[in-house]
Amino acid sequence: MNSSFIERAFYELAEISPAVRARINEFSSHVLRTRGGRIGSGMGGLLEALWGYNTNLELNERHHANYEIAWFPGHHFHDFALLEKDSDWDPVTKRGELFRIEVKSMNFGADESKAHFDVLHSELDDYDGLLLLVWDWALVDHKRHYPRIRDSFFSLAHPIAQLRDSLHDARNGSFVDRERCPDQCHPSLCAHHGEPLNENGKRERLSGPESCRPSSKVSYAANFGGLVRMLKTRGAEAKRVFRQIRHESDVADQYIEFIHRNFPDEERNHYSKPEWQSVALKLGIDPDHKELTDLHEEIRSNPGYLEILKELQ
């Protein structure tokens, strides 16, 4: 299929993403009103489904758009595919597909540990996309709430997988090499090539080597690819890799900015207090006698702080 056609379709989908988010929020505020709002409600899954439905509505109203969203019928690494409109779709051979989309939702007030982007780099095609929805319970009136998408991110999945994998390496994680598989598979038959292992050599996905199970109680560690957790940088090498990739990849930079915008504690913790003090001085802010949390909040109120922050090595 013509790559320029696929590229145009991808960026049109990215362009309409804010309009789709507005559609969902309008619907939710009228139909999904509730008294109270439990974090572990399964509402994130409903919002993901509404994205597919409302994206097709938006595409249908753009008469030049010759494509549509399709849902995978069973469990799959990806949630949706963008198809040529009315094409004969075959999910096995990918006939009729332009690209696939992984959708993840995160409640703004919840622990994000269950939200993982753990698709292997080798399982992604060039234009496969990653969509992130950050949502919370917003007041409709004085008593009722609705699930509101606060922010969303849609971009190519490949660069984010590369960022994730590079930081996994920098934290002393590794990936299975078919030539040295812990299960001693024959290289030509090894199904574990590329599977992530943590710094203790334990598998991070269920499909990893059987000999690398963490314990008899847990089948796999499941830390790999946490949407927020994968950006954590405990050591100097991880910080160096993080900053280098942020400089080199626009998509990685946009992803980091999205996560830090919605989870500011992650941004504050990545940089040291002397680094925040140096940023403050460049913005004309007196950093003396201020708690780091307060200093960070004041810095973030200045729209120019990100460019200064990105200059730090």
Side-chain angles (χ1 to χ4, degrees), residues 116-117 160-175 196-201 204 223-242 245 266 270:
H116 284 69
F117 172 55
I160 300 168
Q162 185 59 58
L163 170 67
R164 175 200 67 195
D165 293 355
S166 297
L167 288 172
H168 180 71
D169 276 330
R171 289 190 291 264
N172 297 317
S174 62
F175 296 90
L197 305 177
N198 62 29
E199 60 185 354
N200 297 315
E204 288 286 344
N223 292 312
F224 179 75
L227 289 170
V228 175
R229 187 182 303 164
M230 75 180 189
L231 295 182
K232 292 186 182 295
T233 50
R234 292 182 304 228
E237 177 61 11
K239 288 183 185 294
R240 184 194 68 78
V241 170
F242 175 102
I245 295 176
E266 300 300 318
H270 173 78

Side-chain angles (χ1 to χ4, degrees), residues 13-235:
L13 205 61
E15 180 185 337
I16 69 173
S17 184
V20 172
R21 184 173 74 224
R23 277 181 179 269
I24 297 170
N25 284 340
E26 177 69 14
F27 171 85
S28 297
S29 66
H30 288 93
V31 179
L32 302 180
R33 295 185 180 194
T34 181
R35 294 292 295 268
R38 185 163 57 91
I39 289 176
S41 60
M43 192 60 71
L46 176 56
L47 293 175
E48 293 171 18
L50 286 172
W51 180 86
Y53 176 76
N54 283 277
T55 297
N56 273 335
L57 290 178
E58 190 70 25
L59 288 172
N60 286 336
E61 292 181 6
R62 297 176 176 235
H63 301 295
H64 65 282
N66 191 32
Y67 19 82
E68 60 185 329
I69 292 289
W71 302 46
F72 281 100
H75 179 72
H76 197 277
F77 284 125
H78 303 84
D79 298 292
F80 299 101
L82 189 71
L83 313 183
E84 289 185 276
K85 197 164 190 177
D86 298 323
S87 64
D88 293 325
W89 179 40
D90 185 339
V92 177
T93 65
K94 298 187 177 182
R95 184 182 67 223
E97 287 185 25
L98 301 178
F99 53 83
R100 297 182 172 190
I101 304 159
E102 177 92 347
V103 184
K104 298 293 184 183
S105 58
M106 296 181 285
N107 187 281
F108 185 70
D111 179 1
E112 62 80 41
S113 62
K114 292 183 179 180
H116 284 69
F117 172 55
D118 63 356
V119 181
L120 298 185
H121 202 277
S122 60
E123 296 168 334
L124 294 169
D125 288 338
D126 288 347
Y127 281 97
D128 282 355
L130 176 64
L131 171 70
L132 308 181
L133 305 174
V134 175
W135 68 280
D136 63 3
W137 290 101
L139 278 171
V140 179
D141 52 34
H142 294 300
K143 296 180 179 179
R144 293 165 185 83
H145 294 76
Y146 76 98
R148 171 188 61 179
I149 300 175
R150 295 171 53 99
D151 203 354
S152 62
F153 172 89
F154 180 76
S155 194
L156 295 169
H158 256 298
I160 300 168
Q162 185 59 58
L163 170 67
R164 175 200 67 195
D165 293 355
S166 297
L167 288 172
H168 180 71
D169 276 330
R171 289 190 291 264
N172 297 317
S174 62
F175 296 90
V176 174
D177 183 336
R178 62 169 55 90
E179 299 291 339
R180 295 180 293 277
C181 178
D183 280 2
Q184 299 183 339
C185 300
H186 189 281
S188 64
L189 302 175
C190 183
H192 306 124
H193 184 74
E195 289 286 350
L197 305 177
N198 62 29
E199 60 185 354
N200 297 315
K202 303 303 181 182
R203 66 183 186 183
E204 288 286 344
R205 306 199 323 165
L206 182 60
S207 48
E210 179 65 24
S211 60
C212 297
R213 292 171 64 104
S215 69
S216 59
K217 296 181 179 179
V218 180
S219 296
Y220 57 104
N223 292 312
F224 179 75
L227 289 170
V228 175
R229 187 182 303 164
M230 75 180 189
L231 295 182
K232 292 186 182 295
T233 50
R234 292 182 304 228

